[in-house]
Amino acid sequence: MVALPSMKARDGRRAGQEGEAGLVMAEIISARVIVTCPDRNFVTLRIETADGTTGIGDATLNGRELAVVSYLQDHVIPCLIGRDAHRIEDIWQYLYKGAYWRRGPVTMCAIAAVDVALWDIKAKVAGLPLYQLLGGASREGCMVYGHANGATIEETIAEAVRHVEQGYKAVRLQAGVPGLKSTYGVAKPGQRYEPADGALPTESLWSTEKYLRSVAPLFEKAREVLGWDVHLLHDVHHRLTPIEAARLGVELEPYRLFWLEDPTPAENQAGFRLIREKTTTPLAVGEIFNTIWDAKQLIEEQLIDYVRATIVHAGGITHMRRIASFADLHQVRTGCHGATDLSPVCMAAALHFGLSVPNFGIQELMPHTAKTDAVFPHAYGFRDGMMHPGDAPGLGVDIDEELAAKYEYKRAYLPVNRLEDGTMFNW
Ligand code: CS2
Ligand code: MG
């Protein structure tokens, strides 16, 4: 009979180094946090094992970055040293259950960073691109959607045409709202869209009535110009009530959207029942979710079509695979958040995840600046409207620490939003 490796408790806390028969050990000897601002802030965790293998994970929480830095440095890293990097699930459970205080964006970002760095290490040790360890490729590549935005309908559609010419099969359309000075998702003149734009939060004004009047004409014109062979998406950014969202969904039905995103805030998951009863426009929700519990009812009752949780904010690859498996049972597909505040490390992880899960839907792509790309050299690429993580061992992304050190952290907040009468509202 084959002797099993000993299951004896080591010191109850740490992975031992005794090298028991059959156990491949990768002792964590250091972990450190790197903060850099190549055009915007990013937080990255690097974990190193005794044989010199390193893995990285994204820990960026837009506008609240330093809270995650402290959570990692002061509370997580001391517990990692000496553990076996290969025990990814056990470390995940240790950090989640062991904190006593479960869930929340700061905690789950920190856990995600550790989890992704450990998957990176495991795949490098195996000498395989990570998706191979996740079951291998389920498709040729991950379809992505690009962002077309402009102050007017004409500008937005011109941008969409440009995307289609570049090969995009799916485009999100956001246009300025007549009568409002600024709108989420629309770049300021001459700049690229970047939501975290102030050392203190900038304030914008919102009118639901003006907005609702502006959306259907945008999509009517878009179908006229772009035809029907391109997927069109739209983000409401949590700004409607369920009944208003239902009305918008119905109005947009003739234009066959791929999805309508975040139509209403999702803390009250039952609120989506009303929208769902009224409209067949597909719904996508979840870029601010951090665990499966945020989406449980939405998925179970099939109140949404796409879950937008992503690696960095929802506990890493380990937890995202749990969300995807649960969603798959209910015919809900993935549609990972991929704005510029998610670093190239997160994008790489999302692509390995997306390539491997059976119920991949689409991946958001908001390209990073050249400065960001230089700090994070990566193997992933774009072709014919799809992205592929590449075949380098591990995640296929690194951080150039020397270059990163040149860009000091700059406090930057997401804007806040008020109704025209001054009432604080959802941004
Ligand atoms: C947006 C994001 O990508 C999206 O769909 O909702 O731009 C979001 O506002 C930012 O990622 C917030 O940090
Ligand atoms: Mg969004």
Side-chain angles (χ1 to χ4, degrees):
M1 204 164 75
V2 178
L4 292 175
S6 154
M7 294 297 288
K8 76 174 188 270
R10 298 182 177 98
D11 64 1
R13 256 167 41 88
R14 304 258 187 254
Q17 287 177 270
E18 57 269 43
E20 295 152 54
L23 278 186
V24 179
M25 293 288 303
E27 189 198 350
I28 297 173
I29 56 160
S30 81
R32 57 181 203 289
V33 180
I34 305 143
V35 181
T36 181
C37 185
D39 292 328
R40 66 163 351 283
N41 292 316
F42 293 109
V43 178
T44 309
L45 174 72
R46 190 193 283 282
I47 296 180
E48 188 179 353
T49 61
D51 72 351
T53 309
T54 70
I56 56 175
D58 183 18
T60 310
L61 183 59
N62 202 8
R64 296 292 186 273
E65 296 87 358
L66 300 185
V68 186
V69 174
S70 161
Y71 194 99
L72 282 167
Q73 282 175 344
D74 299 329
H75 306 293
V76 171
I77 290 175
C79 305
L80 288 179
I81 308 303
R83 283 183 191 282
D84 180 359
H86 282 312
R87 296 184 63 170
I88 300 177
E89 182 70 44
D90 182 65
I91 290 178
W92 196 96
Q93 299 293 339
Y94 184 93
L95 294 174
Y96 184 79
K97 293 176 179 159
Y100 186 65
W101 312 106
R102 297 185 184 201
R103 308 162 65 182
V106 175
T107 298
M108 297 310 289
C109 260
I111 294 179
V114 173
D115 184 77
V116 171
L118 296 182
W119 276 109
D120 191 17
I121 289 171
K122 192 185 281 294
K124 281 181 183 164
V125 171
L128 292 170
L130 174 59
Y131 71 83
Q132 295 290 11
L133 267 58
L134 304 177
S138 289
R139 54 195 56 77
E140 300 309 313
C142 300
M143 178 169 72
V144 293
Y145 68 91
H147 285 245
N149 63 75
T152 61
I153 290 180
E154 289 65 34
E155 273 179 46
T156 302
I157 290 173
E159 269 296 295
V161 168
R162 209 173 56 79
H163 277 80
V164 172
E165 285 166 359
Q166 287 172 9
Y168 280 89
K169 300 177 196 305
V171 190
R172 181 183 111 162
L173 306 182
Q174 306 293 143
V177 176
L180 294 182
K181 231 171 109 198
S182 64
T183 318
Y184 70 92
V186 177
K188 297 199 176 117
Q191 292 176 26
R192 4 175 353 130
Y193 179 63
E194 169 51 64
D197 62 356
L200 284 174
T202 53
E203 299 217 357
S204 50
L205 288 183
W206 179 250
S207 157
T208 297
E209 296 73 23
K210 288 175 183 155
Y211 165 73
L212 280 176
R213 284 200 295 271
S214 74
V215 193
L218 168 64
F219 283 88
E220 186 184 0
K221 190 77 192 163
R223 282 300 180 205
E224 217 180 285
V225 176
L226 300 166
W228 296 88
D229 286 337
V230 57
H231 295 303
L232 299 180
L233 297 77
H234 182 68
D235 189 355
V236 182
H237 224 267
H238 327 272
R239 295 190 175 190
L240 299 176
T241 62
I243 197 70
E244 290 162 350
R247 196 178 109 205
L248 180 61
V250 171
E251 272 176 32
L252 293 177
E253 277 171 20
Y255 313 113
R256 301 283 189 273
L257 265 61
F258 184 89
W259 80 32
L260 186 66
E261 177 184 337
D262 285 335
T264 195
E267 287 104 320
N268 176 17
Q269 298 180 43
F272 279 76
R273 287 183 185 145
L274 193 155
I275 310 174
R276 199 62 164 175
E277 276 162 17
K278 302 282 178 225
T279 179
T280 55
T281 294
L283 304 174
V285 181
E287 67 184 36
I288 66 168
F289 290 172
N290 45 73
T291 71
I292 197 165
W293 302 101
D294 295 322
K296 184 170 175 290
Q297 188 179 3
L298 292 174
I299 291 172
E300 235 166 28
E301 292 187 29
Q302 297 185 309
L303 300 177
I304 58 172
D305 301 278
Y306 297 90
V307 57
R308 276 185 49 71
T310 196
I311 310 287
V312 58
H313 298 134
I317 287 164
T318 298
H319 196 64
M320 280 298 294
R321 293 223 301 161
R322 203 155 277 138
I323 295 176
S325 297
F326 182 58
D328 191 34
L329 298 179
H330 300 88
Q331 290 175 293
V332 173
R333 290 187 281 170
T334 66
C336 288
H337 187 199
T340 39
D341 47 297
L342 293 88
S343 92
V345 184
C346 179
M347 176 55 87
L351 292 173
H352 287 281
F353 163 81
L355 197 64
S356 60
V357 294
N359 53 331
F360 170 80
I362 199 166
Q363 166 68 47
E364 179 178 11
L365 169 62
M366 219 194 254
H368 291 108
T369 66
K371 231 189 233 181
T372 297
D373 281 339
V375 169
F376 296 96
H378 50 260
Y380 62 73
F382 171 92
R383 208 181 62 204
D384 295 336
M386 315 234 271
M387 285 180 81
H388 192 283
D391 279 318
L395 280 176
V397 60
D398 205 349
I399 177 164
D400 179 336
E401 291 197 45
E402 227 171 272
L403 193 55
K406 294 192 177 144
Y407 306 117
E408 212 176 299
Y409 171 76
K410 252 207 300 241
R411 195 179 68 216
Y413 284 97
L414 287 165
V416 296
N417 196 27
R418 292 182 189 278
L419 299 179
E420 287 175 311
D421 70 357
T423 306
M424 198 63 207
F425 197 57
N426 314 318
W427 187 78

